[in-house]
Amino acid sequence: MAGHHHHIDPGAGDRRIVAAVGVNLLLTVAQIVGGIFSGSLALIADAIHNLSDALALVIAFGARKIARRPADKAMTFGYARAEVVAALINYTTLIVIGIWLVYEGIARLITPAGVDGWLVIWIAALALVIDLVTAALTYAMSKDSMNIRAAFLHNVSDALGSVGVIVAGVLILTFGWTWVDPVVTLAIAGYILWQSLTEIGPVIRLLMLGSPVEADADAIVADMRAVD
């Protein structure tokens, strides 16, 4: 990826990713258990988003390892594209998850369920702290890699999801508005879909060996022709 390069020692980068994965997996379990006990679909939506984060980071981690391999007879251009393939898998998974959440959210709007607001707030607050820590761990690396950028964006959207869940918990406690829970679920799903569909385009373009969006082919040809 072009842009400013802040090179991080690969070993240190790997350790950051492993730490982020571990924390996200623990958080996912806590959120799913909390979602089941509190009856909150929004909390489960946030948990799935977190799980997708952990998977995004696992895929990112594997791809980083593969991408560092030198070129060989089978892969004469090297393995750097592994990161782009990883980003494609991540965004595709997220699109599927987003569609499922929309379906679940609409079903919950039609037949509302009771939600325990306090449990939702505490677990979502814990999630928010963990999301911010994970985002901080992967931020510097996200500038160098499309693949880590995908994982980093997952985290930032997770943090926003957690804020939404906290707001839902507060509204359910204050006004007894249980419909807020599926509405927040739909908002999280909408955001997941919008983000994934926006980011998947450049990834596919790169895999299709398309020229960079900012490149003007005619100007490049004209510059070349100007040279004797």
Side-chain angles (χ1 to χ4, degrees):
M1 290 293 287
H4 6 270
H5 284 264
H6 299 266
H7 286 298
I8 291 177
D9 160 48
D14 288 349
R15 284 192 294 277
R16 284 186 189 188
I17 293 175
V18 170
V21 169
V23 170
N24 269 295
L25 286 175
L26 285 173
L27 177 59
T28 302
V29 173
Q31 282 183 304
I32 288 174
V33 171
I36 292 166
F37 278 106
S38 65
S40 169
L41 183 63
L43 202 50
I44 292 174
D46 204 30
I48 289 170
H49 200 178
N50 259 319
L51 178 62
S52 73
D53 265 2
L55 294 176
L57 287 165
V58 168
I59 293 169
F61 181 72
R64 270 168 68 86
K65 290 277 196 198
I66 295 168
R68 290 204 287 262
R69 286 187 192 167
D72 54 32
K73 283 177 190 166
M75 293 285 177
T76 50
F77 282 97
Y79 289 83
R81 276 286 153 86
E83 294 209 53
V84 189
V85 174
L88 181 68
I89 294 168
N90 275 330
Y91 289 129
T92 307
T93 318
L94 271 183
I95 290 166
V96 173
I97 288 169
I99 293 166
W100 177 77
L101 287 174
V102 168
Y103 167 78
E104 286 292 324
I106 291 169
R108 195 50 99 78
L109 271 176
I110 296 164
T111 51
V115 178
D116 176 350
W118 274 120
L119 192 54
V120 171
I121 291 170
W122 284 115
I123 293 173
L126 170 71
L128 179 60
V129 171
I130 291 173
D131 288 332
L132 293 173
V133 168
T134 313
L137 284 172
T138 49
Y139 174 68
M141 292 185 288
S142 73
K143 291 175 181 164
D144 272 347
S145 151
M146 179 180 260
N147 155 41
I148 301 287
R149 177 177 158 74
F152 170 72
L153 285 174
H154 272 240
N155 264 105
V156 174
S157 58
D158 257 2
L160 292 174
S162 298
V163 171
V165 176
I166 291 168
V167 170
V170 170
L171 290 174
I172 288 164
L173 277 178
T174 317
F175 304 107
W177 294 346
T178 47
W179 56 265
V180 175
D181 190 75
V183 166
V184 167
T185 304
L186 289 171
I188 294 173
Y191 183 75
I192 291 173
L193 287 170
W194 170 76
Q195 183 193 26
S196 309
L197 291 166
T198 309
E199 292 278 338
I200 205 169
V203 173
I204 292 171
R205 189 187 178 100
L206 195 54
L207 281 176
M208 292 295 293
L209 301 176
S211 62
V213 183
E214 62 277 6
D216 178 350
D218 294 334
I220 293 168
V221 171
D223 282 350
M224 288 170 75
R225 285 205 171 127
V227 179
D228 284 340

